[in-house]
Amino acid sequence: MATDTPSAGEAAELALELRGITKIYGSLAANDAVDFDLRKGEIHALLGENGAGKSTLMNVVYGMARPDAGEIRIFGEPATIRSPRDAMAHGIGMVFQHFMLIPVMTVAENLVLGVSVGMQQRIEILRALDRGAGIIVLDEPTAVLTPQEAAELEGVLRRLRDEGTAIVFITHKLHEVLEVADRVTVLRRGKSVGTVPTEGASEASLARLMVGRDVVLQIDKPAAKPGPVALEVQDLHVFDDRHLEAVKGISLEVRRGEIVAIAGVDGNGQAELIDAITGLRHPESGHVVVDGRDITGCNPREARDAGVCHIAQDRHRRGLVLDFTIAENLALRDYGEGAKMGLLSPGRMLAKAKQLIEQFDIRGGTPDTPARSLSGGNQQKCVVAREIAGDPNVMIAAQPTRGLDVGAIEFVHRRLLAERDGGKAVLLFSLELEEVRALADRILVIYEGRIVAELPPTATDEQLGLLMTGGSAEAPAP
Amino acid sequence: MSTDATPAPGGAPAGPAGGGGATVGARLTETLREGGPLVPVITVLLAFLAGGVVVALTGHDPLATYKAVFEGSGLNWLLPWVTGEDRDVAATNLQQTLIITAPLILVSLAVGYAFRAGLFNIGGTGQYIAGSVIAVWIGSTMAGLPGWLHIVLAMVGATLAGAVWGGISGGLRATTGANEVITTIMLNYIARWVAIFLFGLGGPLQNSAQPDVPVSNDVVNDAKLPVFWGDPELQGLHIGIFVALAAAVVYWVLLNRSKKGFEARAVGFNPEAARYSGIAVGKTYFLVMATCGALAGLAGSLDVLGWQFRIATNDVQATELGFLGIAVALLGRNRAFGTCVAALLFGALLSGTSVRNLDPSVFPPELAQNLTRIIQGLVVLIVSADVLIAMVFKRVRRRREGAPVGAAPAEVTV
C-alpha cells in the first residue's frame, strides 16, 4: 500500500487535491474519507470495481454530488463546488461515461448525424478544453470504444498531458491503466486502498488491490466437446433501419458444447445478425434454423420458445426495465408461467427471484429493489440469470461484459463456459479481442456484413485486427 | 461492490439510464413514477391557494367562499355535528357530488392506464361520448326487456363502443406509429359531431315525440339505474358509484397482478426492453387504449342510465369530463386509490360550485364555476411541473441536512 504523498515542493504543482471526501447515500458510504491528488501534466487513473465509488468521487469534484465531509483544493486553493457550473469555472471538465452530448437527441437525429462514439468523445473533450478546462475527468471513456478508437483516445490523452493538462481517467480495465496512466489510485468499497505509480505495477498486482483477493484473469478452459449443430444460419441477408443491406449473406453453424465468437468492429452487421436470429428483425432472405427447426422470421417470443436466449448488448436500454423490481426483471421472459386466467403468480415470481439472486450472487437488493439501484455488474447478473434460467439451447451473448469490472467479468465468463460445458451452443459477439480469445473455440471475423475468416482462438491481435478492418486474410500464420 | 451508490444522486443526470421518454406520455409517466401522497397534497394546496387569490381579487372572502363550496359539495354530511335540516341538505348535495364522482373515476382511470403504458389518452371525451350514445340508444329502445338485462346490455354496449373508439387510436399507434395524442383529439371531434348529427334536428336518433328539440329519446324506466340513497324523483344517488369503485378494484388488479398489466407497465417504462423480452409492443398499445376506451365508455353509460336519461346535442358539446379526467389522473398518480380520492375532490368542486348549491351571497356561482376551472388548470400545470416541486423539495432538504455537515470540512482540513 505504497501511498506516495507529495512533498511540500510538489504541492504547488497539484492541480486537484481531495482530502477526506466522504459521501453517504442512505446507510452506504459511497466515499469514505477518500484522499486523492492530481498533478499538472499527469494522467491519474482511478481504478475500482463497479460501485467502488469512482463515479461518486468524480461527481463530487464536478459538483453533481455534495460531499458530507472533506475538502477540495484546486490549484492549491480551497474550492467549494456546488454545481457543474462551479466546476467549469474552476477549470474542471468532465466527459461522462455515457456522454451527455448525444442522448439528449433522438435516435433518429443520432442516425442522421452518424457520429461515431469515438468522435462524440473527442467532441466532448474539445468542449471541455474550450471552456478552459485545465483538469479533465473522463469517466470510463473506453467502455464503448473499439480497440482502435481506444488507442486513438489514449494518444489524444497523452498529447494533452504533455501540454500540461491534468487528467483523471476512471476505469476498471487494468491494461488501460498500465498503458496510459502515470499513477493510479485504487478504490475499494468507497475507500482508497492506495496510490501507486504504474511503473513497476502489473495487472495482477492492480487486480489484487482492486478486488482484495487474487483474481483469475485468464480462466482455464477445458477443450470443447462439440456435439450436433444447434444453430444454423444459412445465407442470411438482413437490412438495417435505413434499408441498407447490413448482413450480406452470412452462413454459420454453432454446435452444442462450443462457443463461437463473432469478432468485428462495431457496426459491421453484428446488431442486424443478432436481431435476425432472435426474431427482432425479419431477414430479407436466408434461414435461421434451431435444432433442425426453421425459425426464420419468427417473433422474439417464438425464438425464445424455440430455445434461443439473448443477452442483449445494452442492459439499460434493452436488457432491463430499470424501473421494474429485480423480481419483475427476472420474470420478464416468463411472467406468464403459472398465470391463471391472465393473472400473474406473485408467489412464483418471488420464489424464482430469490432462487436466482442466490444462485447468481446478485448483490445490493432484495426482489423488491428496483433494478435501477443496482450496480452495473449486478444488473448484468440479472440479465444473465434471467436468460440462463430459461434453459436455452442456443445462447446469443452480445457484449456480455461491456462496462463490467474484473470480478463481474470473471463471473460472466465462467457462466458462459459452464453453459458451453452443459451442452449449450453459445454465439458470442464481442469487441474485446481478449474476451474473444479467452472464451471462443472458434472465431469468425465479421466485416461489412460478411464473415471474412474463421480463426482458432490462438489467432494474434494483429491477425484479427487486420481482418476486422478489411485487411487481407493472408496474414502470416503464427 | 454490493450496491452502486452512483445512480442519479439528487436527481443529477448520471447517464442515459432514465431513458427519457420520447413521447409526452412517457415523460409524464416518468415524472409520476416516484413519491408518495405528499406531492399531490401540496399540489392541491397550492392550486387552492392560487384560486383563493383569484377570489380575493374579485373582492370576496376566499375562506368564506371555500367554506361555501365545501358545504355545497355536501362533504359536511360526513361531519357528525351537522344535524337536522342541514344534514338533509348536505345529504342531497353529497349525492350530487357522488353522481359526478362515479364517471369521473372511470374516465380518470382511462387516462391513468394509458399513462402507465407510456401513452397519453386525451380521448376520454370521445370515448365517453361513444359510450353515452350507445347507452342511450340501447336504453331508449328494446322496451319490455327485463330491467337488469336491459341495464347490463346498455352498459356492455357502451363499454364496447368506448373500447372501439379507444382501440382505433391504439391500433393506429401500433400499425402506423400515429401519435395517440393527435388521434385521440381527432376522434373526440368525430365522436362529438357524429352524436350531434344523430340527435340533432332530423337526425336518425332524434326524439320521435319532440321533432323541434335536438335531443335523444328517453331511456325507458326499466333501464334506469336504481337509486339507493335519496329520492329517485329528485336525482338521488344511483348505483353507478359502486360500478366505478368496482372498476377501480379491477384496475388495480389489472395493473399490478395481471399479465396484460405487467406488459403494459413494461412497455410504459421501456418499450425497447419490452420488445427484446418478447412482449408485443404494438398489440399492447392497442389493448391498453381499448381498455381505456372501455372505462370511459362505461362512464358514459352511468350518466345516461343514472341521471341524464337522454342526450341533448348541447350536452355533447359541453362535456369536459375527459379533460377533467386528465387532471384527476395526474393528481391521483395513475393509481387506483389515488384516482378515486382525486375524483372525489373534483366531483366535490364541480358540485360545490354549481349554481344550485352555492349561496350567491357568498360568491357568485357563475364565477365559482370558473374557480373549478382555475383549480383544474392549476393542478395540471403544477403536476406537470411536479419535477420542479420535487426538485425544490430536495434542495430544501439538502440545505437543511447539508448545512451542519457542510461546515465540517474545517475540521478535516489537512
Side-chain angles (χ1 to χ4, degrees), chain A residues 26 56 75 242 258 274 277 288 352 356 381 405 423 442 448:
Chain A
T56 304
F75 297 113
R242 290 165 295 179
E258 74 168 348
I274 294 170
I277 295 173
V288 177
K352 186 188 150 194
L356 290 179
K381 281 181 186 176
D405 56 64
R442 291 191 287 135
E448 293 199 336

Side-chain angles (χ1 to χ4, degrees), chain A residues 246-471:
Chain A
V247 173
K248 301 166 182 168
I250 284 183
S251 299
L252 59 87
E253 281 181 1
V254 187
R255 295 176 173 272
R256 285 172 176 274
E258 74 168 348
I259 297 179
V260 173
I262 307 271
V265 177
D266 207 7
N268 274 282
Q270 294 99 320
E272 290 76 12
L273 177 58
I274 294 170
D275 284 359
I277 295 173
T278 54
L280 289 158
R281 195 184 285 268
H282 283 257
E284 281 305 300
S285 64
H287 293 278
V288 177
V289 181
V290 172
D291 286 327
R293 214 179 113 203
D294 193 330
I295 62 159
T296 316
C298 66
N299 65 36
R301 184 159 289 172
E302 288 161 354
R304 173 185 164 256
D305 291 342
V308 179
C309 83
H310 178 196
I311 298 173
Q313 174 167 345
D314 187 332
R315 59 181 165 271
H316 284 169
R317 277 186 51 223
R318 294 169 174 167
L320 294 169
V321 177
L322 290 174
D323 297 296
F324 264 11
T325 63
I326 295 177
E328 285 171 324
N329 271 296
L330 289 172
L332 209 46
R333 275 187 183 269
D334 64 355
Y335 57 90
E337 274 172 32
K340 283 187 195 115
M341 309 198 12
L343 293 183
L344 300 171
S345 165
R348 200 196 64 87
M349 272 166 70
L350 185 67
K352 186 188 150 194
K354 280 186 176 154
Q355 183 211 328
L356 290 179
I357 286 172
E358 164 98 29
Q359 191 183 339
F360 286 81
D361 193 29
I362 298 165
R363 297 187 205 176
T366 62
D368 292 330
T369 309
R372 184 183 291 284
S373 64
L374 291 180
S375 70
N378 284 304
Q379 287 176 344
Q380 189 71 346
K381 281 181 186 176
C382 286
V383 176
V384 171
R386 179 183 72 218
E387 298 302 325
I388 288 181
D391 194 25
N393 294 327
V394 175
M395 271 193 89
I396 311 294
Q399 302 218 56
T401 60
R402 191 177 100 164
L404 299 189
D405 56 64
V406 278
I409 289 174
E410 187 191 346
F411 177 90
V412 172
H413 284 181
R414 281 189 192 286
R415 293 306 311 204
L416 289 178
L417 280 173
E419 289 302 296
R420 179 196 79 162
D421 295 340
K424 309 291 163 65
V426 181
L427 185 59
L428 169 74
F429 291 78
S430 181
L431 305 176
E432 304 270 350
L433 294 183
E434 261 177 74
E435 174 166 88
V436 165
R437 268 202 307 269
L439 291 178
D441 299 306
R442 291 191 287 135
I443 301 174
L444 303 177
V445 179
I446 190 169
Y447 177 70
E448 293 199 336
R450 292 190 178 87
I451 300 293
V452 292
E454 176 174 340
L455 298 167
T458 50
T460 63
D461 266 7
E462 290 72 31
Q463 279 178 309
L464 287 170
L466 204 61
L467 287 163
M468 280 162 62
T469 49

Side-chain angles (χ1 to χ4, degrees), chain A residues 142-205:
Chain A
T142 60
V144 283
L145 298 186
T146 62
Q148 282 83 354
E149 283 175 319
E152 271 181 54
L153 176 71
E154 283 167 16
V156 171
L157 295 183
R158 280 197 200 94
R159 270 208 307 286
L160 288 173
R161 173 194 59 191
D162 295 342
E163 287 161 14
T165 308
I167 297 169
V168 182
F169 191 96
I170 304 179
T171 186
H172 52 242
K173 290 184 187 165
L174 301 168
H175 68 93
E176 273 178 11
V177 172
L178 295 176
E179 276 163 28
V180 75
D182 303 307
R183 288 191 302 155
V184 51
T185 294
V186 181
L187 292 186
R188 192 199 310 153
R189 298 190 188 183
K191 288 190 174 128
S192 166
V193 294
T195 300
V196 295
T198 50
E199 221 174 284
S202 69
E203 290 200 15
S205 70

Side-chain angles (χ1 to χ4, degrees), chain A residues 19 25 28 30 49 55-56 68 70 98 100 280 301 317-318 320 322-323 328 333 335 342 344 363-364 375 378, chain B residues 1-6 9 13 16-17 33 257-259 263 265-266 269-270 272-273 275-276 278 405 409 414:
Chain A
R19 289 287 167 261
Y25 290 114
L28 183 94
E49 294 199 281
S55 297
T56 304
D68 295 317
H98 298 278
M100 310 295 252
L280 289 158
R301 184 159 289 172
R317 277 186 51 223
R318 294 169 174 167
L320 294 169
L322 290 174
D323 297 296
E328 285 171 324
R333 275 187 183 269
Y335 57 90
L344 300 171
R363 297 187 205 176
S375 70
N378 284 304
Chain B
M1 173 152 143
S2 50
T3 43
D4 193 341
T6 44
R33 196 171 46 222
R257 286 285 180 271
S258 81
K259 277 167 69 176
E263 289 165 7
R265 283 184 295 132
F269 282 136
N270 187 343
E272 187 75 351
R275 190 171 80 94
Y276 267 65
V405 192
V414 246

Side-chain angles (χ1 to χ4, degrees), chain B residues 64-77:
Chain B
T65 304
Y66 279 133
K67 183 165 178 284
V69 170
F70 177 73
E71 281 167 2
S73 73
L75 286 174
N76 55 343
W77 185 84

